């Protein structure tokens, strides 16, 4: 049955090509938007895994922080860690000689940079949410124009064919526009909430670290 796979693939491509041709040139634009949207959604799915944002080992080390030996262990962990939390705490631990307020300001600056890094690509999803339906609506209008053009130029069976083609054109663009916007909206909402939750958790961990370190120093 393996020899049928190439034929099946070619048949699928032909169907996709016929689908795009029926919807007009704007359907190609929407197809490109869909590819970009799905690429960003999948890329953020891997990039925003918890293990890449917050290290449970570092969290446990902060919670157990009592002595200088514990602090040295935490410093070593952060130096060898590549999570967002590790990079933020590394800044704090590098500036323990600073007053607490200045250290907190340095941590806040680094935290904003990390959150901005986690939000990379979400602006494109946000744009796709609004742009997809608008392009689809434009394609729908073109479909309606085809209907009226057919009504004015033809009659009888030919007129019916023009109307059917125009309706098909309009509906295909409408569906394609929604098909771009719906996944983009889901991805944007989900990842925005996930980043917000991660940011709050990292803020609490950083506050806990500073409280423990400066209390011990005092």
């Amino acid at each position: 049955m393996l020899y049928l796979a190439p034929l099946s693939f070619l048949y699928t491509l032909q169907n996709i090509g016929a689908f795009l041709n029926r919807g007009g040139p704007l359907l190609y634009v929407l197809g490109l938007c869909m590819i970009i949207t799905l690429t960003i959604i999948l890329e953020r799915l891997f990039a925003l895994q918890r293990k890449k944002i917050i290290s449970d080992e570092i969290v446990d080390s902060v919670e157990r922080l009592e002595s200088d030996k514990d602090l040295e262990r935490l410093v070593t962990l952060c130096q060898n860690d590549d999570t967002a939390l590790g990079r933020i705490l590394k800044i704090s631990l590098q500036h323990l000689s600073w007053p607490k307020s200045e250290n907190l300001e340095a941590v806040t600056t680094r935290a904003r940079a990390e959150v901005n890094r986690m939000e990379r690509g979400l602006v494109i999803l946000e744009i796709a949410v609004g742009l997809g339906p608008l392009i689809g609506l434009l394609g729908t209008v073109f479909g309606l124009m085809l209907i009226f053009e057919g009504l004015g130029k033809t009659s009888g069976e030919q007129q019916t064919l023009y109307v059917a083609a125009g309706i098909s054109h309009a509906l295909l663009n409408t569906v394609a526009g929604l098909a771009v916007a719906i996944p983009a909206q889901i991805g944007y909402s989900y990842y925005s909430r996930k980043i917000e939750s991660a940011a709050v958790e990292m803020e609490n961990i950083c506050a806990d670290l500073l409280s423990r370190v400066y209390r011990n120093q005092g």
Side-chain angles (χ1 to χ4, degrees), residues 145-179:
M145 290 171 61
L146 289 176
I147 293 175
F148 289 111
E149 181 182 0
L151 291 175
K153 290 182 177 181
T154 61
S155 61
E157 184 179 348
Q158 190 69 21
Q159 189 177 79
T160 303
L161 293 175
Y162 258 97
V163 172
I167 293 175
S168 176
H169 186 285
L171 292 178
L172 285 174
N173 280 275
T174 301
V175 170
L178 293 175

Side-chain angles (χ1 to χ4, degrees), residues 103-179:
N103 195 329
L104 179 59
E105 184 177 349
V107 168
T108 302
T109 300
R110 181 65 192 189
R112 283 198 297 266
E114 291 297 332
V115 170
N116 185 66
R117 181 177 180 176
M118 288 189 289
E119 290 177 338
R120 184 178 58 193
L122 294 192
V123 65
I124 298 179
L125 294 182
E126 187 178 14
I127 292 172
V129 171
L131 188 61
L134 289 177
I135 296 176
L137 179 60
L138 184 59
T140 301
V141 172
F142 282 145
L144 295 176
M145 290 171 61
L146 289 176
I147 293 175
F148 289 111
E149 181 182 0
L151 291 175
K153 290 182 177 181
T154 61
S155 61
E157 184 179 348
Q158 190 69 21
Q159 189 177 79
T160 303
L161 293 175
Y162 258 97
V163 172
I167 293 175
S168 176
H169 186 285
L171 292 178
L172 285 174
N173 280 275
T174 301
V175 170
L178 293 175

